[in-house]
């Protein structure tokens, strides 16, 4: 009797192990198929990625060439502006100063300074040929109007 019970339990155990092995075999087949499908899809993706990287490298080479050309143009423009400033800058400043001095001299000779109106300061500033009252004179006027001294 004990032998029959052991044999039945042994048969049940072998049946469970057989079911587990069958399921394991199905899982391994599904895994193998999945790996094969992933490999089939990955190879074209890797080829596309490789082509994209090569294209990006080509574009980067073009951008690098453009950047070096821009840097060369920038340095040439800087050198040109330095040359123009050193060549014409000094003489133009001198000519402008001379012209300003001539205008001042002619302005003082030809037009007498107008009389200040009601306590306004006679001090004036000349800007590009125009006479503008000085800011100090206006401050003085305001203080004098309030009764303060200079």
């Amino acid at each position: 009797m004990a032998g029959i019970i052991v044999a039945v339990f042994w048969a049940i155990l072998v049946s469970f192990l057989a079911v587990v092995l069958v399921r394991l075999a199905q899982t391994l087949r599904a895994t193998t198929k999945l790996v094969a499908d992933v490999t089939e899809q990955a190879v074209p993706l890797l080829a596309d990625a490789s082509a994209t990287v090569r294209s990006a490298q080509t574009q980067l080479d073009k951008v690098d060439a453009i950047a070096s050309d821009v840097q060369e143009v920038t340095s040439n423009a800087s050198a040109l502006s330095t040359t123009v400033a050193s060549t014409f800058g000094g003489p133009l400043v001198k000519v402008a100063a001379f012209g300003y001095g001539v205008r001042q001299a002619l302005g003082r000779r030809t037009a007498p300074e107008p009389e200040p109106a009601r306590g306004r300061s006679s001090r004036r500033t000349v800007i590009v040929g125009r006479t503008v009252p000085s800011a100090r004179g206006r401050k003085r006027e305001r203080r004098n109007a309030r009764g303060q001294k200079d």
Side-chain angles (χ1 to χ4, degrees), residues 64-114:
D64 187 36
I66 291 169
S68 65
D69 290 344
V70 167
Q71 184 178 10
E72 184 179 338
V73 166
T74 302
S75 65
N76 288 343
S78 175
L80 179 64
S81 70
T82 302
T83 303
V84 167
S86 65
T87 303
F88 297 114
L92 284 178
V93 169
K94 290 177 184 175
V95 166
F98 179 75
Y100 179 74
V102 168
R103 269 192 318 226
Q104 287 292 343
L106 290 178
R108 287 185 184 152
R109 281 188 173 183
T110 59
E113 187 105 2

Side-chain angles (χ1 to χ4, degrees), residues 18-31:
V19 169
V20 168
L21 286 175
V22 169
R23 298 272 173 125
L24 183 62
Q26 289 174 349
T27 303
L28 287 175
R29 271 190 242 118
T31 304

